[in-house]
Amino acid sequence: MGEREKRSKARPPLAGIRVLDLTRVLAGPFCSMILGDMGAEIIKVEEPGKGDDTRGWPPFSGGEATYFLSVNRNKKSLTLNMKAPDGQAILRRLVAKADVVLENFRPGTMERLGFGYDALRKLNPRLIYCAISGFGESGPEASRPATISSCRASRASWISPASPTARPSRWATPSPISSPAWRRLTA
């Protein structure tokens, strides 16, 4: 067997790692997708009745949002109401068996739900907790939601129109390389 064949049959670097993905939209799903590409088991938790916001973003192919599909490969998925007692009990069981928890809620949200780092560490002392925030965990912009538009505007990455009467527009697709997810993966 040649060297190339041996490498193709090698165990992926993150095989055996379980990631509980509580993220949505871009930065978090992109981050967990890369971890899944490297062999981690990704369990994506979505809001009941709605799912990830990007499930409703056009364009669609076969009834599925292509953007959602583009950043959510290699994942298992379930819906869970993190505010309901039954949902919280399920989440605690999932955390106890996870190696990593990813979340990208506004700072303080997980603590208000009873699932901040200190609470989760009591359930699972070996847990790696990754909070992704577009504007940081503290400071004057911390509570600001990190939408694609707000991140682009703060980084001056809008396309200027050729005509002075036309409105600025955003790039056709989000750029995950400039996102907080990429910075988390390379830290």
Side-chain angles (χ1 to χ4, degrees):
M1 181 181 311
E3 190 60 34
R4 186 176 191 158
E5 289 81 18
K6 286 180 187 176
R7 280 195 309 257
S8 70
K9 293 183 180 194
R11 188 172 184 210
L14 296 181
I17 300 296
R18 179 174 289 157
V19 178
L20 187 57
D21 180 5
L22 306 177
T23 68
R24 65 253 181 264
V25 185
L26 172 62
F30 178 77
C31 180
S32 62
M33 177 190 71
I34 297 297
L35 297 174
D37 288 349
M38 293 191 295
E41 175 189 19
I42 310 297
I43 301 170
K44 182 173 178 68
V45 177
E46 298 184 65
E47 185 179 340
K50 180 181 176 188
D52 190 304
D53 293 344
T54 62
R55 284 185 180 272
W57 291 6
F60 298 94
S61 176
E64 298 283 340
T66 57
Y67 179 79
F68 174 82
L69 295 174
S70 76
V71 293
N72 284 289
R73 66 176 176 255
N74 296 325
K75 299 179 186 184
K76 298 174 181 177
S77 183
L78 66 104
T79 60
L80 189 66
N81 182 345
M82 293 173 49
K83 296 177 183 176
D86 288 346
Q88 290 179 343
I90 292 168
L91 185 59
R92 284 187 193 91
R93 288 195 301 271
L94 289 169
V95 167
K97 295 179 180 180
D99 298 294
V100 178
V101 167
L102 293 175
E103 61 96 347
N104 66 346
F105 295 105
R106 288 189 199 177
T109 299
M110 290 290 284
E111 286 78 9
R112 284 191 297 280
L113 291 170
F115 293 105
Y117 173 72
D118 291 332
L120 296 185
R121 197 170 127 208
K122 289 176 184 172
L123 294 171
N124 184 344
R126 61 181 176 67
L127 186 70
I128 296 170
Y129 185 99
C130 179
I132 300 171
S133 171
F135 296 101
E137 294 292 310
S138 62
E141 303 291 326
S143 64
R144 192 172 158 200
T147 63
I148 291 169
S149 297
S150 66
C151 288
R152 289 222 168 110
S154 70
R155 290 173 181 84
S157 59
W158 287 85
I159 299 172
S160 296
S163 164
T165 59
R167 296 176 59 193
S169 61
R170 64 183 174 99
W171 295 99
T173 57
S175 172
I177 296 200
S178 65
S179 77
W182 194 253
R183 290 192 297 278
R184 287 291 184 194
L185 282 169
T186 58

